[in-house]
Amino acid sequence: MDKSKIKSLGKMIIDRREASLVILLLVILIPIQIRSPQFLSITNIDRLLNDISILSIVAIGEFFVILSNGIDLSVGSVIAFSGMASGMLNEAYPGTPIFIILLLGIAIGAVMGAVNGALVAFGKIPPIITTLGTMSIYRGFTFVLSKGTWVTAHEMTTKFISFPRTRFLGISALIWMALIIIALSYYFIRFTRSGREIYAIGGNATAAQFVGVNEKKIRFLVFILSGISFGFAGSLWTARYASAVNEMATGFEMQAVAACVLGGVNFAGGAGAIPGVVLGALFLGVLNNALPVMYLSTFYQVLVQGLVVLIALIINTVVDQRKMKKLLSQRRAS
Amino acid sequence: MSEPIVTIRNLTKFFPGIKALDNVHLNIREGQVHALIGENGAGKSTLVKILTGVYFPTGGEITMEGKPIHFKNALDSQDAGIVAIHQEASMFLELSVAENIFMGHHLRNERTKKINWKKMKEETEKLLKRLELSISPDTLVKNLSVAQRHMVEIAKALSLNAKVVIMDEPTSALTSREVEDLYRIVRQLKSEGKAIIFISHKFEEIFEICDYFTVLRDGQYINEGYLKDVTTDDIVKMMIGRSIEHMYPQRTPSSGKEVLKVEHLSQLGAFSDISFSLHEGEILGFFGLVGAGRSEVVRTIFGIDRKSGGEVYLDGSLFNPRHPSDAMARGIALVPEDRQQQGVILEMSISDNITLPLLDSLCTRGFTNRKKEKEVARNFGEKMEIKAAGYEVDADTLSGGNQQKVVLAKWIASGPRILILDEPTKGIDVATKAAVHEFVAQAAKDGLCVILVSSELPEILGMSDKVAVMHEGELTALFDRSELDSEKIMRCALGEYKEIVNG
Ligand SMILES: Nc1ncnc2c1ncn2[C@@H]1O[C@H](COP(=O)(O)OP(=O)(O)OP(=O)(O)O)[C@@H](O)[C@H]1O
Ligand SMILES: [Mg+2]
């Protein structure tokens, strides 16, 4: 009984990529903790979680698209436009309630995502080309909207820029936002038909068609979802960093994609799960946070970050291949 | 005769440049197994896809239980009670067995629309039990064997409680025992009063399990009737418009010098201690049940998998390929078993597929010679009787069997010295089968060595000079042509006894 339990636990660790990520996370935490003992202090963990909240939200949006065997490169530009619009709304009408600003961000994201989705699903343009194009276009829109200026901290209301740090039950609003998105996405991807159909389309589009999955609808949907998450993240970004600039979140697509891939999401679609994505974001967050603490120069930080991501990926693939080999020989033996 | 449950009248389907179906009639009755017969590209799968709402017909009418039907997608057809096991691999490898069965119609809570995983698992368990399968509903499909995957597809069809069940070449990946299981299921479905459409290129199967037949040729309706009233020859005539004189060519075996020698070749977990030799102009048949390890042996010789012991000699010297390109450089070609996934590049044209391994020789100063390329493609395409709108169309518009022919043509065009064919006639119609056999015999006559891996005993008996038999990774027998005896071979394949006659 006990033995079989241990065995099934071992099997779960091999089966779930998340498990190997947890182990890797522990492995890198040990030297960090030794080098700077305050790393795992409550304050620092709180700061870390705040730092990865936005990344988690964005990575989940990217997750939906990658799961459908697509990619969304317009991340940074959608964040910038929505963040800029949020900041300008707050500046122009200081009395606007915060949830209206957040809704504006969500709406902007949904529209921009819908454009991406329409081009991919109905225009049959490959996702990478579509979003490479809209990445520039949306960034251009941001310049047009802001006329090249930016919104600074003292042009926005204190209420808006202190909102992410406001605490409920000891946890900051920003973390709450991320938790809500995580919970909703988890429910959606696990317990709704549309959620499962994303796996179907990404895993085998022909087979999905054979069982009546509406491919166009799903491809359209995933981009709306990613757009919503990016737009929402944009509003939060402006509030948290207390400024809206045209260049904000440039290159953030790399972080979003890295979090997904680290979290075991299959780049070719059809496999992956929300807990993995969140772990992937956490992993990146730890790296981002720990490297400065360890007095590494920025250059080395980038290098180490890239290296660790690469190593994690290699481990993932090797584990995968080992698993296949083992399976094959088991099948022969039985 | 009872009233048909589904009636198809004057059904027509055009694809750009090709009439896949042209005025087809079909009557499907409850409690009857209906064989749909025709050459590769005759339009069988197209008909299935129209019935399941995947394609829309260009013209004609379909009625079900007296009412005309127009399916907009696969769900409509499922709701009407029609399900199919398609010819293409249609599984979600990264998802569980339970989910593969319920994809598209997940069981949900009536009110909240929340997916009920527990109930789906329970239902899956019931279905698997009904099929006498010991698989857990949670297993990911990528961890199942090909045969198990097929059974899951069947379970999927059963889960829908359909009135019409369509099976498009369901047996091509199954071992003989699994085929028996499938027959049992088909009979069970039949006794439950379901209407079954069964597509196969194997006549023994058709006569064993089916009651009624309809023959298509070039998308046209040719004939229908009860199978008990006809012979294989009659069917062949209807299919191709003539009869086939020889399924297997007359050969006068002649063997030259030794080319390939395999000694004690082993691969951990797959096969062990395999020894045989191959001479110029010889055809070595490799027989065994599906999963006996034959494919692994030839993959190792070709450099795809690595050996864990033993030696391979080529022209008398040690040969240790690290990569298929090593083997190709020495004139070895392997036509893989799983041609749909390993052989044909669906997004490329037929002609580009065929000339792929030849690009080096077709290039002049770094540029490809389109004209020469087309010529080569046409030459080999015609040899293999590939049926297509033209050699410039993408391979993914071809019928399943024709895709396989493209792969065959591709490797044969590369002009090898040693040709390894892994199940070359799987899913290929009779006429082409005969053509492939003829071609292989001619190749041997020209001095090539051929390794023919096949699970079809008549093919092995009809073609081989020598037969190696494998059972669960071991070589159980090596027969000369003079000693060939079907019963003995079968018993060796089943592992009932070992007989290494000729070392
Ligand atoms: N999507 C498509 N686009 C263009 N042509 C197609 C398409 N699907 C099928 N065809 C053509 O329609 C014809 C009939 O194909 P179909 O797949 O129905 O043949 P089949 O009888 O199932 O053959 P097989 O025994 O090889 O499976 C073929 O000539 C094929 O090239
Ligand atoms: Mg077919």
Side-chain angles (χ1 to χ4, degrees):
Chain A
M1 179 71 201
D2 261 347
K3 232 184 187 169
S4 73
K5 250 191 193 154
I6 293 170
K7 219 173 159 187
S8 69
L9 191 75
K11 201 169 155 252
M12 201 199 80
I13 290 179
I14 302 184
D15 265 2
R16 308 280 308 225
R17 296 217 185 160
E18 290 94 17
S20 61
L21 193 57
V22 169
I23 293 169
L24 200 68
L25 199 57
L26 293 179
V27 169
I28 65 162
L29 272 177
I30 293 168
I32 296 171
Q33 181 66 13
I34 292 172
R35 188 90 188 250
S36 62
Q38 74 280 21
F39 190 78
L40 289 181
S41 63
I42 299 284
T43 358
N44 204 41
I45 290 178
D46 185 65
R47 209 183 67 213
L48 179 72
L49 292 182
N50 271 295
D51 278 352
I52 65 157
S53 293
I54 289 179
L55 177 58
S56 309
I57 294 172
V58 171
I60 285 173
E62 190 69 50
F63 163 66
F64 292 129
V65 181
I66 295 182
L67 189 61
S68 77
N69 188 16
I71 189 156
D72 191 340
L73 297 177
S74 68
V75 181
S77 305
V78 175
I79 291 178
F81 189 86
S82 131
M84 182 59 74
S86 305
M88 288 171 72
L89 176 67
N90 183 249
E91 183 188 7
Y93 303 97
T96 319
I98 288 170
F99 83 91
I100 296 283
I101 301 180
L102 295 181
L103 277 182
L104 175 77
I106 289 174
I108 287 173
V111 171
M112 290 185 151
V115 172
N116 284 337
L119 288 170
V120 170
F122 307 110
K124 299 233 154 57
I125 303 171
I128 189 159
I129 296 174
T130 301
T131 57
L132 201 60
T134 53
M135 173 166 99
S136 310
I137 294 170
Y138 294 164
R139 185 69 69 176
F141 284 172
T142 314
F143 275 95
V144 173
L145 178 72
S146 69
K147 304 201 177 62
T149 62
W150 51 81
V151 188
T152 54
H154 53 263
E155 285 160 339
M156 289 186 269
T157 61
T158 330
K159 218 174 124 206
F160 181 53
I161 56 181
S162 63
F163 153 74
R165 270 165 293 152
T166 327
R167 286 180 185 267
F168 305 96
L169 306 174
I171 294 174
S172 74
L174 192 61
I175 298 178
W176 275 117
M177 296 291 148
L179 288 176
I180 290 170
I181 296 287
I182 292 169
L184 286 177
S185 314
Y186 181 79
Y187 184 88
F188 168 75
I189 208 77
R190 179 101 190 116
F191 291 110
T192 68
R193 264 191 200 170
S194 298
R196 300 316 293 174
E197 286 176 357
I198 302 178
Y199 283 91
I201 290 291
N204 185 343
T206 316
Q209 193 193 8
F210 288 161
V211 291
V213 175
N214 187 337
E215 181 173 354
K216 286 187 181 141
K217 181 189 116 185
I218 295 294
R219 293 209 186 280
F220 188 54
L221 177 72
V222 290
F223 278 98
I224 292 189
L225 291 175
S226 70
I228 286 176
S229 91
F230 304 160
F232 185 50
S235 299
L236 294 175
W237 187 298
T238 298
R240 171 165 165 79
Y241 297 107
S243 75
V245 299
N246 293 301
E247 296 78 15
M248 67 199 267
T250 306
F252 206 57
E253 61 278 351
M254 279 347 242
Q255 300 262 328
V257 172
C260 288
V261 179
L262 275 172
V265 179
N266 185 353
F267 207 68
I274 297 283
V277 177
V278 176
L279 271 173
L282 183 66
F283 190 89
L284 283 180
V286 168
L287 277 185
N288 289 340
N289 259 273
L291 297 178
V293 178
M294 297 181 80
Y295 310 109
L296 280 177
S297 77
T298 328
F299 170 71
Y300 281 113
Q301 282 177 34
V302 177
L303 193 85
V304 170
Q305 204 179 332
L307 221 61
V308 171
V309 170
L310 206 62
I311 291 171
L313 286 181
I314 291 171
I315 290 178
N316 262 347
T317 355
V318 170
V319 167
D320 251 24
Q321 283 172 354
R322 278 273 166 81
K323 239 166 48 191
M324 285 312 292
K325 278 255 167 70
K326 206 168 135 218
L327 253 160
L328 271 175
S329 55
Q330 269 172 4
R331 201 173 300 142
R332 301 253 159 256
S334 65
Chain B
M1 215 151 63
S2 65
E3 273 302 296
I5 175 166
V6 175
T7 318
I8 296 176
R9 287 278 160 271
N10 303 319
L11 189 69
T12 306
K13 173 72 185 176
F14 296 164
F15 289 112
I18 210 155
K19 263 190 193 177
L21 293 173
D22 188 4
N23 268 311
V24 168
H25 313 293
L26 191 69
N27 293 313
I28 306 164
R29 294 190 169 75
E30 288 170 321
Q32 196 175 64
V33 185
H34 194 133
L36 196 54
I37 305 173
E39 286 179 282
N40 297 129
K44 304 178 297 292
S45 298
T46 305
L47 184 69
V48 171
K49 286 182 186 156
I50 290 175
L51 268 178
T52 49
V54 177
Y55 290 162
F56 311 114
T58 312
E61 61 181 65
I62 306 174
T63 54
M64 187 162 178
E65 292 168 324
K67 290 187 286 286
I69 48 173
H70 302 279
F71 298 137
K72 281 200 287 299
N73 57 40
L75 273 188
D76 286 355
S77 135
Q78 272 177 21
D79 290 343
I82 302 179
V83 297
I85 299 164
H86 288 276
Q87 189 175 11
E88 294 94 333
S90 41
M91 303 246 82
F92 306 105
L93 299 185
E94 299 280 351
L95 300 180
S96 70
V97 169
E99 187 150 28
N100 264 276
I101 288 175
F102 285 101
M103 184 58 78
H105 58 115
H106 285 93
L107 301 179
R108 297 183 297 188
N109 182 305
E110 291 286 330
R111 208 169 36 80
T112 61
K113 301 278 182 225
K114 182 181 170 189
I115 289 180
N116 189 338
W117 288 99
K118 195 161 154 266
K119 198 161 158 212
M120 287 198 318
K121 273 180 207 164
E122 283 166 12
E123 291 296 316
T124 305
E125 244 154 30
K126 270 189 227 157
L127 283 166
L128 294 175
K129 202 170 267 164
R130 194 166 143 200
L131 296 177
E132 295 169 25
L133 285 179
S134 52
I135 309 173
S136 147
D138 286 323
T139 318
L140 298 188
V141 166
K142 68 174 174 189
N143 297 342
L144 297 181
S145 72
V146 176
Q148 284 174 320
R149 290 179 196 180
H150 250 81
M151 290 314 221
V152 171
E153 292 232 38
I154 293 167
K156 182 162 100 189
L158 298 185
S159 78
L160 290 159
N161 228 336
K163 294 176 198 150
V164 180
V165 180
I166 307 173
M167 303 184 176
D168 196 349
E169 300 193 29
T171 57
S172 54
L174 302 185
T175 65
S176 48
R177 218 193 62 229
E178 289 153 350
V179 171
E180 286 302 322
D181 282 347
L182 182 78
Y183 288 169
R184 184 174 50 76
I185 294 160
V186 169
R187 292 201 180 96
Q188 189 184 337
L189 291 175
K190 182 177 152 182
S191 69
E192 288 167 13
K194 300 200 191 305
I196 296 151
I197 300 181
F198 192 91
I199 300 178
S200 173
H201 288 290
K202 296 182 189 160
F203 292 119
E204 319 90 78
E205 274 177 22
I206 291 174
F207 280 96
E208 163 94 31
I209 197 77
C210 303
D211 308 304
Y212 201 79
F213 70 88
T214 295
V215 175
L216 303 181
R217 190 200 308 158
D218 291 335
Q220 285 175 335
Y221 167 91
I222 300 296
N223 206 342
E224 66 185 291
Y226 284 97
L227 278 161
K228 61 176 164 37
D229 303 333
V230 292
T231 64
T232 309
D233 260 0
D234 299 334
I235 299 268
V236 170
K237 248 180 247 162
M238 293 178 216
M239 274 174 77
I240 60 176
R242 63 187 158 92
S243 52
I244 292 180
E245 306 280 310
H246 307 287
M247 207 46 219
Y248 305 100
Q250 291 292 322
R251 307 185 46 230
T252 36
S254 66
S255 73
K257 67 174 197 328
E258 185 178 271
V259 179
L260 186 76
K261 191 176 172 71
V262 174
E263 280 190 341
H264 311 295
L265 194 67
S266 305
Q267 188 192 78
L268 229 57
F271 58 85
S272 62
D273 202 14
I274 305 290
S275 304
F276 62 85
S277 67
L278 193 59
H279 298 252
E280 261 175 7
E282 227 173 30
I283 301 178
L284 169 70
F286 237 107
F287 185 71
L289 305 179
V290 174
R294 297 162 301 164
S295 298
E296 285 77 0
V297 172
V298 293
R299 282 164 60 95
T300 307
I301 296 173
F302 191 58
I304 299 173
D305 298 336
R306 305 299 294 275
K307 65 179 186 195
S308 60
E311 308 294 351
V312 177
Y313 297 91
L314 191 60
D315 300 321
S317 61
L318 212 58
F319 173 62
N320 195 4
R322 308 190 149 261
H323 191 266
S325 60
D326 293 348
M328 280 157 68
R330 299 289 298 272
I332 305 179
L334 169 73
V335 180
E337 177 183 16
D338 189 353
R339 286 179 285 272
Q340 274 190 13
Q341 283 181 21
Q342 298 174 0
V344 55
I345 301 172
L346 292 174
E347 296 80 14
M348 284 188 359
S349 73
I350 299 176
S351 144
D352 287 346
N353 262 296
I354 294 179
T355 54
L356 197 58
L358 283 175
L359 277 184
D360 272 350
S361 59
L362 286 177
C363 280
T364 32
R365 278 179 247 112
F367 290 96
T368 54
N369 182 341
R370 289 308 275 183
K371 202 168 142 243
K372 217 160 126 200
E373 218 177 286
K374 265 192 202 149
E375 229 175 76
V376 173
R378 178 163 307 279
N379 181 7
F380 284 94
E382 271 164 16
K383 240 180 207 160
M384 288 293 117
E385 305 184 4
I386 294 171
K387 190 172 162 253
Y391 289 108
E392 293 312 310
V393 303
D394 284 357
D396 66 353
T397 66
L398 293 181
S399 79
N402 278 304
Q403 287 178 3
Q404 306 215 8
K405 294 183 204 168
V406 170
V407 185
L408 270 174
K410 162 175 142 183
W411 286 110
I412 289 163
S414 72
R417 278 198 312 148
I418 301 179
L419 181 60
I420 307 176
L421 302 163
D422 198 351
E423 306 279 4
T425 58
K426 190 168 96 182
I428 282 182
D429 65 50
V430 268
T432 317
K433 243 183 217 172
V436 169
H437 293 154
E438 184 62 47
F439 183 86
V440 170
Q442 185 58 44
K445 206 168 157 197
D446 295 343
L448 260 77
C449 324
V450 181
I451 300 181
L452 175 70
V453 177
S454 173
S455 308
E456 282 193 53
L457 196 48
E459 185 166 278
I460 290 282
L461 291 172
M463 295 297 298
S464 318
D465 299 322
K466 280 199 277 193
V467 177
V469 187
M470 281 183 72
H471 171 72
E472 293 189 349
E474 275 180 56
L475 196 66
T476 48
L478 208 52
F479 296 106
D480 258 349
R481 192 181 184 104
S482 55
E483 307 160 328
L484 290 186
D485 170 70
S486 59
E487 203 192 310
K488 251 199 223 160
I489 294 181
M490 204 58 212
R491 288 184 54 200
C492 291
L494 291 169
E496 283 172 12
Y497 84 117
K498 282 174 100 170
E499 184 185 302
I500 304 284
V501 180
N502 244 323

